[in-house]
Amino acid sequence: MTLNIAIAGTGWFSKVHANILNKMGGVSIKAFVGTSLEKAERAAQEYSSAKAYANFEQMLDEVKPDAVYICVPPYAHGEMENLLIERGIPFLVEKPLGAEMEIPRKILNGVQQSGLITSVGYHFRYSDAAVRAAEMLQGRKIGMALGCWMGDMPQVSWWRKQEGSGGQFIEQTTHMVDLLRRLLGEVDEVYAAYAHRAMKEMHEGVTVHDVGTVTMKLKSGAVATVSNTCILPEAGQVGLCIYTEQGTVDIRADRLIIGDRGKMTEFRNAGSPYERENEAFIHAVRTGDRSGILSSYEDAVRTMEVTWAAWRSAESGMPVKVGG
Ligand SMILES: NC(=O)c1ccc[n+]([C@@H]2O[C@H](COP(=O)([O-])OP(=O)(O)OC[C@H]3O[C@@H](n4cnc5c(N)ncnc54)[C@H](O)[C@@H]3O)[C@@H](O)[C@H]2O)c1
């Protein structure tokens, strides 16, 4: 049976998913929905089966997709997810779930009540490095972790506005927080310090902080610090290093570096985590078997609760309990 897929969003990442789906057997991209018909037409013209829409609900009525990909900026979430929940249509949504916490918490209610199949774009979970790291950590005592997302400022206009993206920690560094939860368990309390250093003066309309560091107490008793900056002129270091009594487990975007009592071994990623994420979701929609989905909406809300608590801590200058 061919699965009919619709994609909301006409930007960079909708194309990344569309190109993966386009190569899969038994999947047909039937629609793109954009903020204008013109943008949707531009996106759709590259995929012969796809029609263009400027209205999400009209698309649902006409196309009746088997599943929808939501690849829109953080500020644009809410209405689409609610319509999909009402109609019982599974969705894969890109991280983060919103620019603030109210909308994801409401959507979570609907997802839980409907029992809908969902997947969230935390692709690091599907990487060889993260999968092997989980295995290597079995039997080791985890002391602490240091994570970072050091880079430049994305050029899209919504990213630099607090209400558009939620800021770097919510929008980007969320990947490291999610990896931390996956490998070390839940976070109990956070203390964050954010600042504006250069980007506000260099570019017009910047309201997001450009440096930040977040200290976390985990339920296990371990501690962690995850820092980020978008002040650099180009992409820099991204990763999560876990410190254990036997040595380090260092996860990078393209590899894993294991330290074992002074001996270092490097494992390069082989497959694409994005392809695995897409395959797991499509398999779940086709068969009902969700076991391959490594990040559901329910789970991703818990990651968002941590990054949201960090924002509230940075604003108040006080430690904040996660989920409070
Ligand atoms: N998992 C990853 O590695 C990864 C990488 C890049 C981006 N992303 C995420 O994907 C999302 C989109 O990022 P992007 O880089 O594609 O951004 P982008 O700015 O290139 O594209 C966003 C698109 O969404 C459209 N849009 C906005 N509101 C809409 C609405 N209500 N209905 C339909 N379309 C709407 C915009 O017109 C634009 O075409 C972000 O949340 C981002 O964090 C994830």
Side-chain angles (χ1 to χ4, degrees):
M1 183 187 84
T2 298
L3 289 183
N4 293 329
I5 307 294
I7 300 181
T10 53
W12 173 43
F13 229 62
S14 58
K15 216 169 160 181
V16 170
H17 284 298
N19 288 341
I20 292 171
L21 290 169
N22 210 28
K23 281 191 254 152
M24 264 184 210
V27 173
S28 179
I29 302 171
K30 288 290 183 201
F32 276 88
V33 188
T35 45
S36 70
L37 195 58
E38 195 194 348
K39 281 172 87 174
E41 274 167 355
R42 226 179 297 136
Q45 71 189 10
E46 293 185 35
Y47 308 92
S48 57
S49 51
K51 274 184 73 181
Y53 291 87
N55 182 299
F56 189 72
E57 201 166 2
Q58 185 196 349
M59 181 281 290
L60 293 182
D61 288 341
E62 289 183 20
V63 174
K64 298 189 173 38
D66 296 305
V68 172
Y69 278 56
I70 305 176
C71 308
V72 298
Y75 70 86
H77 290 287
E79 213 182 308
M80 285 186 271
E81 286 91 334
N82 287 332
L83 285 168
L84 294 171
I85 291 165
E86 267 172 32
R87 293 172 189 226
I89 301 172
F91 61 85
L92 183 150
V93 58
E94 265 309 331
K95 43 53 65 181
L97 302 176
E100 46 70 57
M101 206 58 231
E102 199 186 325
I103 287 171
R105 281 182 186 153
K106 280 193 188 140
I107 294 170
L108 174 65
N109 261 336
V111 166
Q112 284 176 327
Q113 276 167 24
S114 64
L116 205 60
I117 293 172
T118 57
S119 173
V120 182
Y122 283 111
H123 70 275
F124 272 89
R125 289 185 174 220
Y126 298 84
S127 71
D128 290 326
V131 172
R132 194 187 285 259
E135 290 162 15
M136 300 304 292
L137 286 168
Q138 298 291 324
R140 288 187 177 209
K141 181 77 180 177
I142 296 172
M144 65 178 295
L146 281 181
C148 66
W149 195 293
M150 308 313 208
D152 52 340
M153 199 166 70
Q155 288 309 304
V156 282
S157 62
W158 55 263
W159 201 92
R160 47 188 72 180
K161 296 191 189 80
Q162 183 60 38
E163 70 279 12
S165 67
Q168 188 178 11
F169 203 76
I170 284 177
E171 214 285 330
Q172 232 171 19
T173 318
T174 184
H175 278 300
M176 293 304 112
V177 174
D178 187 67
L179 208 46
L180 182 82
R181 284 191 49 247
R182 173 85 175 153
L183 297 171
L184 276 74
E186 296 301 336
V187 179
D188 191 31
E189 189 176 298
V190 303
Y191 173 71
Y194 295 175
H196 298 279
R197 299 296 298 160
M199 289 297 125
K200 242 182 150 165
E201 290 151 28
M202 286 170 67
H203 301 280
E204 217 173 297
V206 175
T207 55
V208 293
H209 297 97
D210 56 12
V211 294
T213 189
V214 182
T215 296
M216 309 181 197
K217 290 182 186 167
L218 279 78
K219 293 214 160 112
S220 66
V223 294
T225 296
V226 180
S227 298
N228 60 202
T229 185
C230 55
I231 211 169
L232 297 175
E234 70 276 302
Q237 197 185 344
V238 171
L240 182 74
C241 187
I242 301 161
Y243 296 80
T244 79
E245 91 293 11
Q246 292 177 45
T248 48
V249 175
D250 190 359
I251 303 142
R252 310 276 178 90
D254 61 346
R255 79 194 96 145
L256 176 71
I257 306 159
I258 297 288
D260 193 350
R261 297 179 178 84
K263 183 173 163 265
M264 306 304 277
T265 315
E266 190 172 293
F267 302 93
R268 292 221 153 238
N269 289 350
S272 156
Y274 298 113
E275 284 176 15
R276 289 177 191 156
E277 175 187 277
N278 276 276
E279 278 156 13
F281 176 65
I282 293 297
H283 172 78
V285 175
R286 195 184 296 285
T287 65
D289 169 19
R290 315 174 182 207
S291 59
I293 295 176
L294 301 184
S295 173
S296 63
Y297 201 92
E298 290 92 326
D299 194 278
V301 164
R302 292 205 282 276
T303 295
M304 179 90 199
E305 289 282 5
V306 180
T307 58
W308 180 243
W311 163 251
R312 287 174 49 228
S313 174
E315 283 286 281
S316 65
M318 302 297 288
V320 170
K321 285 269 180 199
V322 174

